[in-house]
Amino acid sequence: MLSLARLAQSAAAAAVLVTSALPALADGEVNVYTTREPGLIQPLLDSFTKETGIKANVIFVKEGLAERVATEGANSPADLLSVVDHGNLIELVDRGLTQPVKTEALEAAIPANLRDADGQWYALSMRARVIYASKDRVKDETLTYEDLADPRFKGKVCIRSGQHPYNTSLIAAMIERDGADATKTWLTDLKGNLARKAGGGDRDVARDILANLCDIGIANSYYVGLMRSGKGGPEQQEWANAIRVILPTFKDKAGTHVNVSGAAVAKNAPNKENAVKLLEFLASQEAQEIYAKANFEYPVRAGVAADPIIAELGTLTVDPTPLTAIANDRKQASELVDVVGFDG
Ligand code: FE
């Protein structure tokens, strides 16, 4: 593999390497910066290389991906930037690190509400914010997010920190439809229903339901796949066995809140054409099936089935609120979490 780390170390070296080798590289390579897990990304890139002959180099950046690309500036070797959370995609755009790309294949594969209007980013997979409920102690077939603040769930709700992006996104979606005042009331009541301090991870909701610490909570859909499949070990299978999953909606019943993973072509991509090819590949039937199977995410491409464990949770109707509108309310959502002392 081309040593991307070394390439990125020195802006001057990168400039020389990239320009002097440009004809060969332009045909042959693509450089991906990603915050995603190697276990998910590598099989996708391997398939891409097998299909196109284009070599895919990848740098896994856990923290500070945007910062790194910004620092590298015009000499950045990054072609495709792949991240989780629409807030992170929009941050890349706001920092001027992306460029608009529009192709027929991309627009046909990815619904308009799951991509930037100018083609600055494209969602590639979805995760739903769902309800985990005790199989034994919760009888409801359907519930809204608002229902979790109902007095009948007093002392029965578990959830991770209100400041986690999964939750600020959900809270922002509520602000977008119901306004800040109604959302503040909901958050205050939800806080009053907590069985324990908001914290931990999403899977801990299932763990704590099994332990009879709580009856119900909010968590992401793909963790159900990770737990039920046994990928997380036998203990987590037991956690998953204690819960039933409800796909909630807001009280207007429009749909379930989702967040996305996605990708953007880097502003200074030295291999732009290959970046577009890779983006199109990631939206293809084949790649979308890998997202569904490897990570239990919902494909964005119509006609691609979710993993059977996820399909079993029910038919997902996506809340139609545009992700960009939700992103604009994220800051206010985070402030509300502090104002009501949700994590305290
Ligand atoms: Fe997660």
Side-chain angles (χ1 to χ4, degrees), residues 166 220 222-223:
Y166 298 160
N220 276 357
Y222 57 84
Y223 289 117

Side-chain angles (χ1 to χ4, degrees), residues 84 127 160 164 166 202-203 220 222-223 226:
V84 168
R127 51 275 306 283
R160 77 190 309 161
H164 191 279
Y166 298 160
D202 277 359
R203 278 180 266 211
N220 276 357
Y222 57 84
Y223 289 117
L226 292 170

Side-chain angles (χ1 to χ4, degrees), residues 28-72:
E29 291 196 275
V30 64
N31 301 324
V32 182
Y33 283 21
T34 185
T35 62
R36 306 224 64 186
E37 298 293 320
L40 170 69
I41 291 296
Q42 205 55 60
L44 287 163
L45 297 181
D46 290 347
S47 298
F48 173 70
T49 300
K50 215 166 132 194
E51 201 153 290
T52 61
I54 297 167
K55 188 174 167 221
N57 307 304
V58 61
I59 292 191
F60 296 99
V61 190
K62 262 273 161 237
E63 304 282 336
L65 185 146
E67 195 55 49
R68 176 164 180 168
V69 178
T71 305
E72 288 169 355

Side-chain angles (χ1 to χ4, degrees), residues 295-316:
N295 221 36
F296 301 99
E297 294 180 87
Y298 288 97
V300 292
R301 186 187 177 98
V304 180
D307 182 273
I309 295 175
I310 298 301
E312 216 174 63
L313 307 181
T315 306
L316 175 71

